[in-house]
Amino acid sequence: MDQARSTIAQIFNAESHSYTRFDLTQNMEGDHSQVEMNLASDVEEEAGGNGVGGQHSHNSNRKPYVTEKFGYTPKNLCFMTAATFLIFIIGFLIGYLVERKKDVAPSAAASQLPFDKTVDHETGAAPLMDWDDVKKLLAQKLDVANFDSVFSDFVTVVDHRAGSPGDERLGNKVLEKFKTYGMNTWTDELFVKVQDPPASGFNKLVFKNGKEERLDGFLSYSASGTVKGAVVYSYYGQEKDLKLLQEKNINLTGKVLLVRAGRISFAEKVANAAKVNASAVLIYPSDDTIGDTTQLFGHVHMGSGDPYTPGFPSFNHTQFPPVQSSGLPTILAQTITTGMAKNILKQLGGQMMSGEWGFNKVGDDNDTITLEVNNVLTEKKINNVFGVIKGFVDADRYVVIGAQRDAWGPGFAASTVGTSVLVELARSISDMVKNDGFKPRRSIVFASWSAGEYGSIGATEWLEGYLSSLSMKAFSYINLDGVVTGQNSFKVAASPLMYTLIENTLREVKSQNNDVSLSSQFAKGNWESNVLEPLKMDNAAYPFLTFSGIPSLSFGFTSDSSEYQYFGTMLDNREKLNSVTSNQVSQLAKISAQFAGHIVLRLVHDHLLRFDLTKYNKMIRSMVAQINGKVKTVQRMQPQLLLKDLTVQWLISASGSFSYASGSLATDIQNSNLDDTEMCRIINDRLITVERNFLSPYVSPKENPFRHILLGSGPHTLEALIRHLEALSISSPDANADQFRNQFALVTWTIQACANSLAGDIWSLDHEI
């Protein structure tokens, strides 16, 4: 009779699981924080004269209705006995049938918790295929030979830089394949502004009195002009590298910084240089094996999308007042070859650096260089290509899976492999739907983006153009860019909501050695420390997560320690990728397709989205504990900053509210009938809103597009609060106590608002923070 009890519990839990007023005190120190709540339920408030006991007393002298109506005659007693026996028999038969039904198909309400790692079967109103059968079907559809064929088809388009005829030709190939698979297709046309090398002439540099070097490589969105300054070797151009130079009393103002490629994006290197008032940045390949003459290409926009339409889309020549992204650099930036860098380094004077920097001198005031950059701003037409497999229950809810199509050169690892995985997954899943009876509950959108090399322009402009439509409909994004750049390691960067889903998928998908799973091969011990890595700003999944609030995932096979050295060069071809993967590119592409396919299919197969709130809960509690400790430090060390009256209790309470709302949702799930399609939709909507509600509503998408307070970038984030407190503790001139108070209040309310939304209906909220 568990199903009957579940139904009854559902009726009453509508009230019993509502938010009630509570007082929250929380010790945020350490991992064993305790939460104490004093709950006053409506039942307790109404107890007393109007309680059950009072009602019984009031009616105690009244005769039972049966006695008044019929009396205790033998005839009536026989009638009552027969009726009671008949009711008992009917009840017994109903219970028997319910129990038998449960033996055949276990109730989703009893077994289908969204975070249960052991559940593989579901029941419900939606058409269903067993999850084990879904996995087997996908494995049967994906074949190494098919990847070899698709690779050969796509590599025939050699030049496919964004907006070029080759890019358009490749887009049409993808579109035709989607149509062949029977998918509904469409395209989005965009007109975007990008920087290209000078139409006539070259960017150039002269070191000391040497010969003029003409530069074929370039960095899009660099400032233009000519500068002359002393060269300073700055390792990778990270903040810590520049800080080390300053600690050695090396003045960086007006200097030209010479930095190695890698570790952080080109844009971050230039932004770091601008902060120390450098005049220009020269970037060279960090891997000597790449050759002395290999040119390097990239962009230096500290953001994503078209920087000349920040926050809004580049559709149809839409006219806006002149405006540009705050992430555009104000200093010159240019790439040079390894040979040019070696020539400069061997002539530098100044202090000697050692250790991981190598034995290099950093330069002195006599090591002057003249750099001229004359990139041209041009408008290009690009196209995003889409295909969709529609769901059978919630067709208006969809997961998006995408890959960039363009590249600076051949772009085999940068775009060809990802695009091939995209079309092979589209073919396989379409075939499962058409011929094998698989019926996804939700829709799957396949996207081929253009202008990815210029900073995920195609993907970001799509997000900006359809932000309102996507906010409650696109519930996840899977990025396929760079899924194969090595073979000895497997890395994943994702929203914490997806961690449990990722962990389960690693266990299900087999590695190159079919005897073991990806988890066994790459996630030995602690999978989070061995597999997970932060999602970087230059990843196409980053704007989906931090700009649009869509839970996102990016992954790939990599080398053990080094980055793929051929990205952004004309050497990114099939031969080079085969050389770093022992000719296993097709096999690794197939495994990548299986991993992405399992994630996608799980998200459209199950009743409930497999999003786990516990990771975010731990993340918030950890960062709040750090803030609490640092506030106390500032109050002790810098009492003149007037923070002594600042209380962290509001932020602690907001964190507790989020924790309480997470637990409340888990309870609602456990006591709900998941055979109820509408109930599943309501619960899923509550899960979908979590990521979006972490976007700060108090900052401008134009000035701070990555508004996520936990994973984004800008002064609105919890990480920025921690750094601001550190600056306050040492009386840094960049610190401002009033500004910190404002940031602190806005972050607090953003977390509380997220908790309120997670709680569900407006009448289920706790109105006291």
Side-chain angles (χ1 to χ4, degrees), residues 465-481:
Y466 301 103
L467 190 59
S468 298
S469 302
L470 296 173
S471 64
M472 279 296 291
K473 296 182 178 180
F475 59 84
S476 190
Y477 177 68
I478 314 299
N479 180 39
L480 298 178
D481 296 341

Side-chain angles (χ1 to χ4, degrees), residues 96 124 276 312 327 352 400 468 604 616 698 723 747:
Y96 172 78
V276 297
F312 44 86
M352 175 69 75
V400 183
S468 298
V604 300
Y616 265 137
Y698 307 109
R723 291 199 304 268
V747 164

Side-chain angles (χ1 to χ4, degrees), residues 77-88:
L77 288 174
C78 289
F79 173 78
M80 291 169 61
T81 301
T84 301
F85 181 74
L86 180 61
I87 292 171
F88 173 78

Side-chain angles (χ1 to χ4, degrees), residues 70 84 126 138 208 250 354 361 415 421 427 457 462 469 486 504 567 622 695 704 716 739 760:
F70 297 105
T84 301
L138 179 65
K208 292 187 174 180
I250 298 174
S354 59
K361 293 183 178 180
S415 63
V421 171
R427 178 193 62 79
I457 288 183
W462 185 68
S469 302
N504 292 340
F567 274 145
S622 173
L695 303 182
N704 295 284
H716 55 282
Q739 184 182 10

Side-chain angles (χ1 to χ4, degrees), residues 216-260:
D216 294 322
F218 80 104
L219 293 171
S220 190
Y221 303 121
S222 165
S224 297
T226 302
V227 300
K228 183 176 182 179
V231 175
V232 176
Y233 174 58
S234 306
Y235 201 35
Y236 282 96
Q238 301 171 102
E239 286 186 350
K240 66 177 183 178
D241 299 332
L242 305 186
K243 184 178 180 181
L244 178 61
L245 291 170
Q246 291 175 322
E247 290 173 352
K248 292 181 176 293
N249 297 317
I250 298 174
N251 182 14
L252 300 179
T253 300
K255 301 298 174 41
V256 177
L257 305 189
L258 177 64
V259 303
R260 300 159 63 99

Side-chain angles (χ1 to χ4, degrees), residues 429-444:
I429 298 175
S430 295
D431 195 48
M432 290 168 61
V433 173
K434 286 189 297 183
N435 300 320
D436 299 297
F438 174 61
K439 296 183 178 180
R441 282 181 168 81
R442 304 168 196 94
S443 300
I444 308 171

